[in-house]
Amino acid sequence: MKNVAQRTIGEVPQPEPSLAELLSQLRDEAVELVRNELQLAKLELTESVQTAGRSFLAMNAGLVVSFMGANLLTVAAAIALTGVFFAMGAGLIVAAFIGFLVSGAILVMIGLSVFKKQKEQLSEQPKVAENTIQTLKENKQWIQEKTTNN
């Protein structure tokens, strides 16, 4: 604020805001801040849910397609392995059992590894609104500074 010597003629000094005005202004700013933070949290949560939904949909679509292909491949591999074991001297029933067992075990391992990879990728998604938490901390500090400076 200008002192008396620095004021020009005709300039009216601006009165300092009262404590009530300052508190009212602080309250209004804090309310607006909370509204903005809630909006940010809502946006982050919506984005997180949409990303998780797309991941779940992709995982399930992948599992269905893999299951259909696995059925066909299992039958083909099992028949091929049955022929191999039968040629090695095993009986037809035993050769068929071993062929289907080996084919199924291989496909189960592949399917579980794909599912595990997708599950890990999904778990890497942030579970909380990290930006909102950070700005809430900054806002808390700002409010503390405003209240201690006045």
Side-chain angles (χ1 to χ4, degrees):
M1 185 171 186
K2 297 179 182 178
N3 64 30
V4 177
Q6 293 175 328
R7 290 191 195 138
T8 60
I9 298 176
E11 185 178 327
V12 178
Q14 297 294 325
E16 292 289 323
S18 68
L19 180 60
E21 290 172 333
L22 288 173
L23 289 174
S24 176
Q25 188 179 29
L26 179 61
R27 183 205 63 213
D28 293 343
E29 289 176 0
V31 167
E32 182 65 24
L33 190 60
V34 169
R35 282 188 186 132
N36 290 340
E37 292 305 320
L38 290 174
Q39 183 67 20
L40 178 61
K42 181 180 174 184
L43 289 174
E44 287 179 345
L45 187 60
T46 299
E47 182 180 315
S48 180
V49 167
Q50 287 174 346
T51 301
R54 285 191 294 270
S55 291
F56 281 125
L57 182 62
M59 284 171 49
N60 288 329
L63 285 174
V64 168
V65 171
S66 294
F67 182 70
M68 292 186 312
N71 284 332
L72 293 173
L73 290 173
T74 300
V75 171
I79 290 171
L81 286 173
T82 299
V84 170
F85 289 122
F86 186 69
M88 292 173 51
L92 184 58
I93 302 291
V94 172
F97 176 77
I98 294 172
F100 277 89
L101 183 68
V102 170
S103 298
I106 290 170
L107 289 173
V108 165
M109 288 187 291
I110 292 170
L112 288 176
S113 69
V114 169
F115 186 79
K116 181 181 176 186
K117 178 182 176 191
Q118 286 299 315
K119 184 179 175 187
E120 288 171 359
Q121 186 177 14
L122 184 62
S123 68
E124 292 173 1
Q125 285 288 86
K127 292 172 182 58
V128 293
E130 293 173 356
N131 290 339
T132 301
I133 291 171
Q134 179 61 33
T135 55
L136 283 173
K137 288 177 182 177
E138 292 169 1
N139 294 339
K140 176 184 173 187
Q141 183 179 357
W142 175 81
I143 289 172
Q144 288 174 341
E145 289 172 2
K146 279 280 208 178
T147 56
T148 56
N149 290 340
N150 293 325

